[in-house]
Amino acid sequence: MRVRFAPSPTGYLHIGGVRTALFNWLFAKHYGGQFLLRIEDTDEARYVPGAADNLMESLRWIGLNWDEGPDIGGPHAPYVQSQRKEVGIYQPHVERLLAEGKAYMSFTTPEELDQMRADAEARGIKAFRFRGPERDWPLAQQQELAATGKPYTVRLKVPMEGSTSFHDLIRGGGQAITVNNAELYDIVLLKATGMPVYHLAHLVDDHMMGITHVMRSEEWVPSAPYHALLYQAFGWQQPAFAHLPVVLRQDGKGKLSKRKDDVGANRFWERGYLADAMFNYLALQGWSYDDKTEIMTRDEIVERFTIEKVQSSPARWNPDKLRDMNGIYIRKLSTAELTELLLPHLAGAGYVGNPASAEERAYVERLVPLIHERLEELGQAPELLEFFFNDVSYPDPTLLIQKKMDAAGTVTALRAAHEHLQALPEWNEASLEEALRALADELGLKPGQLFGTL
RNA sequence: GCCCCCAUAGUCUAGCGGCCCAGGACGUCACCCUUUCAAGGUGAAGAUCGCGGGUUCGAAUCCCGCUGGGGGUACCA
């Protein structure tokens, strides 16, 4: 079993991407296979420098290690498509398809294509399925025109008739997914720049790298027929497809988006999410073990993860649930562990040095039990502990009013408490508690009501 | 528009023909515990299993239609 995660370095990795990577990783671990990382940077226009490093950092944070990848190499290096293109990996495959008449050089320019699309729409034809006139030309004629220097793309000659089927491990209800070839168009394999398009590059790479299972997000389902056709054209064994459910936005309107949602993987460790909690939560985005188990260790998840249990319906991003789960994981931490994790957040607020001194560390460690059970995000700590580092203004007086009490009763209770406490000869835990309990009794209040106000 | 996928409570999900007049979790509410807040415990409300037809002795589970949602429709991935 060999699987891969093949992101495009167009920005930071968002949480949906991490989920896809995680499922591939889990699959590999469960079956004792390999998990590879490959960078698909064939989109020169959207390329963001540094994105690949950032993305690897995100994967490492959550604990997904790869067996082969751009940074560590492997038997199929390089693992970056632009580099593979330079080495001449894709070109021979394109030429082979050309020679066999399974692809053709298309001289229609992007501008002409736009015009044709606009014309089609004007005539009420919404489905524009491009088939280049050159698909019927002899190769020699294509080459002749190419020799004049006219730019061209290479397109796959998709059959006009018949249908194309493929199986999916997750969707289709056990049946093959079939589309009529008439619904398809001649996809571009090689751009005019000579750079391969995703469809070609990923497929050649998957084949060469011995990928057995392609697990990718659901949005790829519509392009799977092209891939099936390409495998046929090459005469290669097609890997198994498994299209993972998309992760929908919290309101269910559309898939998670980098632009609209605060879901960059890096944002989560900044805000104080634990990698273990994230791992657990993400495993449940489109997969579940049984009807009640949710909190599981990494090992348990690896052991239990199977493709059969992956959902076919979309997952929904639920920050509340994630936060709750993060709280559960935080509560599992020891005081010392939590202190260690909190220090950077407190340093961020300027409450301790960076790194913190031994005294600061010891002080924080005494504070930690106060907020340990309440914390759901590590980033909340500075706010909760502000009291200890800064003078704070008085809070909203209405917060003092306890359950089943009113403002007048609260004021009375506070005055009485003030008097009683002033009268106390000595303040210590026992004397304070005794005095206040007695007072509560006197006022006909439960201790909790009085103590709450104070 | 067309093509494809999907459809159990506010949300995530279990369920793959009888064990389900549907189980768990988040969220909500109540009570208990508690020096507050949390955490924890107990309990409650919340789903005619999207709708309509079939198949079957029996359907949340299989089939068809509809509706709804999502995805795709690029020389982006």
Side-chain angles (χ1 to χ4, degrees):
Chain A
M1 305 274 186
R2 282 169 69 79
V3 293
R4 49 43 174 201
F5 178 57
S8 179
T10 54
Y12 60 76
L13 187 59
H14 78 73
I15 219 66
V18 179
R19 195 287 315 263
T20 298
L22 173 65
F23 278 28
N24 275 281
W25 183 90
L26 286 170
F27 183 80
K29 295 295 160 193
H30 180 82
Y31 292 105
Q34 289 91 45
F35 171 67
L36 332 199
L37 178 65
R38 186 175 68 224
I39 302 298
E40 309 211 324
D41 57 346
T42 53
D43 186 348
E44 294 134 304
R46 290 200 305 159
Y47 177 76
V48 175
D53 289 330
N54 179 270
L55 172 161
M56 288 193 272
E57 188 186 5
S58 296
L59 294 177
R60 281 195 207 96
W61 169 63
I62 194 162
L64 305 186
N65 57 308
W66 43 98
D67 300 297
E68 297 167 31
D71 54 335
I72 56 174
H76 304 284
Y79 290 86
V80 178
Q81 289 184 330
S82 59
Q83 294 172 20
R84 297 175 66 75
K85 181 239 173 193
E86 288 310 311
V87 184
I89 284 178
Y90 307 110
Q91 192 62 34
H93 294 101
V94 173
E95 282 163 13
R96 183 185 143 198
L97 255 22
L98 243 17
E100 294 176 0
K102 290 168 178 165
Y104 63 95
M105 299 174 183
S106 172
F107 297 91
T108 308
T109 66
E111 292 70 30
E112 290 169 337
L113 241 16
D114 286 345
Q115 188 57 50
M116 291 165 81
R117 258 188 278 274
D119 290 347
E121 185 145 9
R123 293 204 315 274
I125 301 168
K126 293 280 178 62
F128 175 69
R129 313 192 197 290
F130 183 73
R131 310 288 194 157
E134 305 89 344
R135 82 196 308 273
D136 297 321
W137 294 9
L139 181 57
Q141 190 183 349
Q142 297 169 30
Q143 287 167 328
E144 208 171 293
L145 190 48
T148 66
K150 192 169 168 53
Y152 65 91
T153 60
V154 175
R155 289 178 183 268
L156 181 67
K157 202 184 283 182
V158 173
M160 309 277 273
E161 294 170 349
S163 62
T164 301
S165 298
F166 62 95
H167 281 275
D168 189 294
L169 262 24
I170 297 171
R171 49 210 74 237
Q175 302 294 308
I177 295 172
T178 302
V179 296
N180 290 323
N181 292 333
E183 305 288 349
L184 272 21
Y185 76 102
D186 291 347
I187 53 164
V188 168
L189 262 20
L190 205 64
K191 306 180 194 182
T193 59
M195 183 66 91
V197 161
Y198 166 84
H199 297 113
L200 195 247
H202 98 278
L203 191 135
V204 167
D205 288 345
D206 282 349
H207 177 254
M208 293 179 73
M209 294 178 181
I211 299 303
T212 58
H213 297 256
V214 171
M215 281 193 252
R216 82 247 278 200
S217 184
E218 185 185 350
E219 64 228 46
W220 293 104
V221 173
S223 58
Y226 295 109
H227 305 330
L229 249 13
L230 256 181
Y231 278 108
Q232 283 171 28
F234 281 121
W236 292 340
Q237 158 96 46
Q238 183 191 302
F241 288 153
H243 289 95
L244 273 18
V246 283
V247 179
L248 260 27
R249 312 181 59 190
Q250 191 179 7
D251 60 7
K253 303 220 184 308
K255 56 179 185 173
L256 228 41
S257 130
K258 293 185 201 184
R259 227 183 58 244
K260 298 179 191 159
D261 307 290
D262 188 17
V263 289
N266 54 324
R267 288 287 296 129
F268 290 94
W269 76 72
E270 284 166 17
R271 279 158 57 191
Y273 281 86
L274 266 33
D276 284 339
M278 204 59 173
F279 186 102
N280 195 154
Y281 177 75
L282 250 23
L284 263 15
Q285 289 279 294
W287 173 84
S288 62
Y289 172 56
D290 63 10
D291 60 346
K292 50 197 62 166
T293 315
E294 292 196 334
I295 303 298
M296 293 173 270
T297 65
R298 288 170 191 254
D299 288 345
E300 284 168 341
I301 295 171
V302 166
E303 191 191 319
R304 296 168 180 175
F305 184 86
T306 60
I307 206 99
E308 290 74 33
K309 300 284 278 180
V310 174
Q311 292 314 120
S312 52
S313 49
R316 186 92 144 240
W317 182 243
N318 186 347
D320 288 342
K321 180 96 177 182
L322 205 214
R323 201 177 302 114
D324 174 72
M325 199 171 269
N326 200 47
I328 292 174
Y329 275 86
I330 287 175
R331 270 172 252 131
K332 286 182 176 180
L333 262 24
S334 70
T335 301
E337 288 168 335
L338 182 55
T339 301
E340 208 55 43
L341 292 170
L342 249 26
L343 254 16
H345 291 274
L346 295 172
Y351 295 162
V352 300
N354 190 10
S357 68
E359 295 78 49
E360 287 171 331
R361 182 182 307 260
Y363 183 50
V364 171
E365 191 154 353
R366 283 173 56 208
L367 262 25
V368 162
L370 263 24
I371 59 168
H372 197 149
E373 289 187 335
R374 246 191 307 176
L375 225 44
E376 290 189 308
E377 296 179 10
L378 300 181
Q380 296 169 320
E383 191 187 340
L384 291 172
L385 292 174
E386 182 186 14
F387 181 81
F388 293 97
F389 295 97
N390 281 337
D391 289 335
V392 289
S393 51
Y394 285 100
D396 177 0
T398 60
L399 291 177
L400 296 176
I401 301 171
Q402 296 298 304
K403 273 188 285 192
K404 294 172 190 164
M405 288 180 74
D406 56 19
T410 302
V411 170
T412 307
L414 281 172
R415 291 226 168 92
H418 184 67
E419 283 168 23
H420 275 68
L421 291 176
Q422 275 196 327
L424 268 185
E426 191 190 347
W427 280 26
N428 62 48
E429 204 176 308
S431 67
L432 285 172
E433 183 167 351
E434 190 187 344
L436 292 173
R437 277 194 185 277
L439 174 63
D441 201 38
E442 195 176 306
L443 294 172
L445 294 172
K446 288 178 137 191
Q449 290 176 296
L450 178 62
F451 292 149
T453 299
L454 295 175

